[in-house]
Amino acid sequence: MRISGNTIFIPGATSGIGLGLALRLHEAGNRVIVGGRRTELLSQIADAHPGIETVRIDTADADDVVRVSAEVQRRFPDTNVLIAMAGIMRSEDLRDNDFLSTAVAEVETNILGPLRLVAAFTEFLAAQPDATIITVSSGLAFTPMVGTPTYSATKAAIHSFTDSLRIQLADSGIGVLELVPPAVQTDLMPGQAEAEWAMPLDDFLDEVMHLLPEATREILVERVKPLRFAELNGNRDDLMAALAHA
């Protein structure tokens, strides 16, 4: 993916990794459209960062994705990069039947949201030069965290889907990349923003921006590689046990 001169739509970029990446890409010379559910956050981002565009979108709402995707394509006809960033992560106790409502919300946002966006943008992007779709999985797609079973499973699904998407779009002119974050110091989970076991956000963004121009498949910072390759290295069970007590 070229690092500048793009028009990039990032649904789910009002905080954390999404917002950080949006700001870095904007600084690198791209036009960036940030999408999110909360209009007050979108207004704050637009006021604080002149030049960044914003749109309200709820990727858990199928009709909203269709409507807003058409709006983005109309308002920003040069859009050539989609980064499907939106995601939620919740703890679950599978011994309690109440976990199901949490699981449904995670599947709706973390799996169906990106799939809806891909469906809404693929034909449009196929007509754009230097087009790229970036999905966002997690190191937990490869070494799941016991306390967040549905989140880990949704990210495994995104990894699998992305591999198939890359092959199916191989002749379309659309590049397909998968961003695979480790735990990063954001508000994704309570206490994570200050946790010593999570990677500082700026360090993560520095490494991603360095890797992005040469990436052809997965964007892997060094910190995520133990999770990504745990099964290959034969220490997946040990890492799962460590994650269970983190």
Side-chain angles (χ1 to χ4, degrees):
M1 173 182 156
R2 69 187 187 195
I3 200 64
S4 63
N6 303 291
T7 299
I8 305 173
F9 180 40
I10 316 179
T14 54
S15 64
I17 290 174
L19 178 57
L21 190 57
L23 298 180
R24 292 295 186 95
L25 290 168
H26 178 64
E27 292 167 1
N30 299 284
R31 189 178 194 185
V32 176
I33 306 106
V34 167
R37 292 183 298 109
R38 296 172 58 184
T39 54
E40 66 273 21
L41 288 181
L42 294 171
S43 296
Q44 290 171 16
I45 291 167
D47 290 343
H49 305 286
I52 288 186
E53 307 282 354
T54 62
V55 295
R56 188 198 175 281
I57 183 170
D58 181 358
T59 61
D61 183 328
D63 292 337
D64 203 45
V65 171
V66 171
R67 179 186 61 79
V68 177
S69 296
E71 175 190 343
V72 168
Q73 293 165 23
R74 176 181 56 78
R75 288 179 56 196
F76 309 104
D78 293 333
T79 299
N80 66 314
V81 178
L82 169 69
I83 305 178
M85 181 66 64
I88 58 174
M89 183 179 188
R90 302 287 184 268
S91 297
E92 297 165 296
D93 184 345
L94 301 184
R95 298 164 296 187
D96 183 342
N97 290 343
D98 288 345
F99 89 87
L100 189 58
S101 61
T102 298
V104 169
E106 289 182 303
V107 168
E108 190 77 29
T109 299
N110 298 355
I111 299 179
L112 295 181
L115 268 60
R116 290 174 180 131
L117 288 163
V118 169
F121 271 90
T122 297
E123 185 176 351
F124 174 83
L125 290 174
Q128 303 292 85
D130 300 306
T132 305
I133 294 172
I134 301 179
T135 62
V136 182
S137 63
S138 168
L140 301 182
F142 307 93
T143 304
M145 188 159 75
V146 174
T148 58
T150 300
Y151 176 84
S152 302
T154 62
K155 292 305 184 177
I158 289 299
H159 168 68
S160 178
F161 176 81
T162 304
D163 276 350
S164 297
L165 181 67
R166 184 180 300 109
I167 292 172
Q168 289 202 19
L169 296 186
D171 297 327
S172 70
I174 303 173
V176 177
L177 301 175
E178 177 184 350
L179 177 60
V180 188
V184 177
Q185 289 179 345
T186 70
D187 291 323
L188 185 62
M189 290 285 283
Q192 186 170 322
E194 298 82 26
E196 293 184 1
W197 44 261
M199 184 176 186
L201 178 58
D202 282 339
D203 291 351
F204 173 75
L205 295 170
D206 287 344
E207 200 167 343
V208 169
M209 293 299 291
H210 175 73
L211 294 169
L212 195 54
E214 303 299 325
T216 58
R217 182 183 174 90
E218 296 172 0
I219 304 166
L220 301 171
V221 301
E222 287 298 321
R223 189 81 166 255
V224 83
K225 289 181 180 178
L227 295 175
R228 173 64 181 90
F229 301 113
E231 190 161 12
L232 179 66
N233 294 334
N235 61 348
R236 185 168 180 265
D237 289 348
D238 293 339
L239 279 173
M240 285 183 66
L243 287 169
H245 295 95

